[in-house]
């Protein structure tokens, strides 16, 4: 049950997984919000959809595996996951093995999604 | 009706610019700042794309002055100072930051 | 209204940090309250006590510190972002056996929960990046 003071939060993720520290930071914010029982959604847009590629192996570059972090979302009840359909197509991901809870959205649906949440954090 | 203040701190040609433009609706407002100010230049394709969205367009004066473009910006982009920026946030409950 | 700010911009690169600060001042000048300014990622550099700025430029660290003191606003650096960038308070410097604390006293280190708390209790939440 959310605390009395509570605002729903949409985290917009637009960075590819390993080229910017913002990629991991954005996911950690979403996970923290879920841990604090806030209503939180994650929208993958632009290069952010590349975080969804399966079979990531970050051992040689010595940083945390973003793919595994996303795979852990269900453990935190983080299941409001959305992805920009256009970006999926553009990056050739539309037929890849994507997370189960992920909902592809078109432009109009994304516009509606942005309006649905109390706050938006753009990463 | 809750509407959105978009802030754009990225130059035309960036994915931030194209994603922002695609998602702007006519009830929204857009504040150009930092490298985003160049999209206010009159007669450019970027400015045309923004105008076609129907959103209210604003420009952070300080950043346009830094860029040297204040006298070349299109009439439908309103230069604002920080007091006006805050007033925009009073009016628009949410912000989507593009950069 | 109650505002909170998320600052991701480096004070050393781009205009995001300076814009966030000027916005924060304008929020207070218009009579609103700022619940918290939360610095994350490159934004945590805004709390670096060892930053030296050329004389003809504005030192963002000092300006943020001044703003925090004058308006009594909490300036929080996200601990995970801060540590990675060598920004430590006295207790972290001790814990990790580093030679010096590197955070300006006007700033406090804390976890991401403070951002979520700010989000939950604010009417307006603004992000400054780039």
């Amino acid at each position: 049950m959310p605390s009395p003071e509570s605002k729903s939060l949409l985290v917009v993720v637009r960075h590819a997984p390993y080229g910017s520290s913002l990629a991991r930071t954005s996911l950690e914010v979403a996970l923290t919000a879920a841990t604090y029982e806030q209503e939180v959604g994650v929208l993958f847009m632009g290069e952010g959809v590349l975080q969804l590629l399966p079979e990531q192996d970050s051992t040689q570059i010595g940083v945390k595996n973003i793919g595994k972090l996303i795979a852990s979302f269900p453990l935190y009840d983080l299941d409001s996951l959305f992805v920009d359909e256009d970006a999926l197509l553009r990056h050739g991901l539309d037929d890849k093995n994507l997370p189960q809870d992920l909902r592809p959205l078109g432009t109009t649906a994304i516009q509606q999604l942005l309006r649905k949440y109390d706050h938006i954090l753009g990463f | 009706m809750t509407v959105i203040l978009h802030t754009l701190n990225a130059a035309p040609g960036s994915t931030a610019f194209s994603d922002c433009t695609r998602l702007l609706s006519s009830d929204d407002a857009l504040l150009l700042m930092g490298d985003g100010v160049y999209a206010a230049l009159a007669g450019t394709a970027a400015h045309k794309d923004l105008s076609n969205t129907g959103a209210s367009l604003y420009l952070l004066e300080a950043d346009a002055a830094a860029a040297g473009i204040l006298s070349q910006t299109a009439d439908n982009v309103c230069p604002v100072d920080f007091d006006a920026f805050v007033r925009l946030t009073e009016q628009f409950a949410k912000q989507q930051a593009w950069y | 209204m109650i505002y909170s700010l998320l600052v991701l911009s480096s004070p050393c690169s781009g205009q995001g940090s300076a814009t966030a600060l000027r916005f924060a001042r304008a929020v207070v000048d218009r009579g609103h309250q700022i619940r918290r300014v939360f610095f994350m990622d490159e934004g945590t550099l805004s709390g670096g006590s060892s930053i030296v700025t050329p004389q003809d430029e504005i030192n963002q660290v000092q300006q943020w510190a001044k703003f925090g003191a004058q308006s009594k606003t909490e300036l929080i650096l996200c601990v995970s972002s801060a540590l990675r960038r060598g920004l430590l308070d006295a207790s972290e410097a001790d814990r990790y056996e580093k030679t010096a604390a590197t955070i300006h006293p006007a700033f406090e280190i804390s976890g991401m929960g403070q951002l979520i708390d700010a989000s939950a209790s604010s009417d307006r939440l603004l992000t400054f990046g780039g």
Side-chain angles (χ1 to χ4, degrees), chain B residues 9 33-35 60 62-63 82-83 85-87 89-90 92-93 95 97 99, chain C residues 1 3 8 15 19 22-23 26-27 30 32 123-130:
Chain B
N9 180 10
M33 54 172 62
D35 285 353
L60 204 52
D63 292 354
F82 280 87
D83 180 81
F85 183 178
V86 177
R87 278 189 279 128
T89 67
E90 289 166 7
F92 292 85
Q95 176 232 17
Y99 51 88
Chain C
M1 279 199 282
Y3 281 69
L8 304 171
Q15 290 145 278
T19 300
R22 292 185 69 183
F23 178 80
V27 166
R30 279 192 66 77
H32 300 294
D123 302 303
R124 297 290 186 268
L125 178 60
L126 283 280
T127 303
F128 292 87

Side-chain angles (χ1 to χ4, degrees), chain B:
Chain B
M1 151 103 74
T2 55
V3 289
I4 301 173
L5 173 65
H6 298 254
T7 56
L8 176 58
N9 180 10
S14 61
T15 52
F17 177 85
S18 46
D19 279 341
C20 172
T21 313
R22 186 163 60 96
L23 290 179
L24 274 173
S25 78
S26 53
D27 315 317
D28 293 340
L30 170 65
L31 174 63
L32 299 167
M33 54 172 62
D35 285 353
V37 304
Y38 299 104
L41 282 167
T44 59
H47 172 255
K48 189 162 173 227
D49 287 343
L50 288 184
S51 300
N52 287 343
T53 66
S56 318
L57 304 175
Y58 300 90
L59 173 71
L60 204 52
E61 214 162 37
D63 292 354
I69 61 165
L70 264 176
S71 62
Q72 299 158 62
T73 56
D75 290 336
N76 67 343
V77 186
C78 179
V80 294
D81 60 12
F82 280 87
D83 180 81
F85 183 178
V86 177
R87 278 189 279 128
L88 279 172
T89 67
E90 289 166 7
Q91 188 191 343
F92 292 85
K94 296 176 250 242
Q95 176 232 17
Q96 164 58 29
W98 304 96
Y99 51 88

Side-chain angles (χ1 to χ4, degrees), chain A residues 22-95:
Chain A
L22 282 175
R24 190 184 34 78
T25 302
S26 61
L27 300 183
E28 287 179 349
V29 168
L31 285 166
T32 307
T35 308
Y36 278 66
E37 296 185 337
Q38 299 295 298
E39 189 193 330
V40 55
V42 183
L43 169 64
F44 294 91
M45 286 198 68
E47 281 106 51
V49 305
L50 297 165
Q51 295 192 25
L52 302 167
L53 273 165
E55 299 169 16
Q56 293 175 34
D57 179 359
S58 61
T59 32
Q60 290 185 68
I61 61 171
V63 296
K64 290 192 177 60
N65 186 317
I66 296 284
K68 286 201 175 135
L69 196 56
I70 293 175
S72 75
F73 279 6
L75 294 172
Y76 297 84
D77 291 327
L78 187 48
D79 52 16
S80 299
L81 306 179
F82 309 94
V83 62
D84 176 5
E85 230 167 34
D86 266 23
L88 276 184
L89 261 165
R90 213 182 318 132
H91 291 289
L93 264 68
D94 45 318
D95 60 349

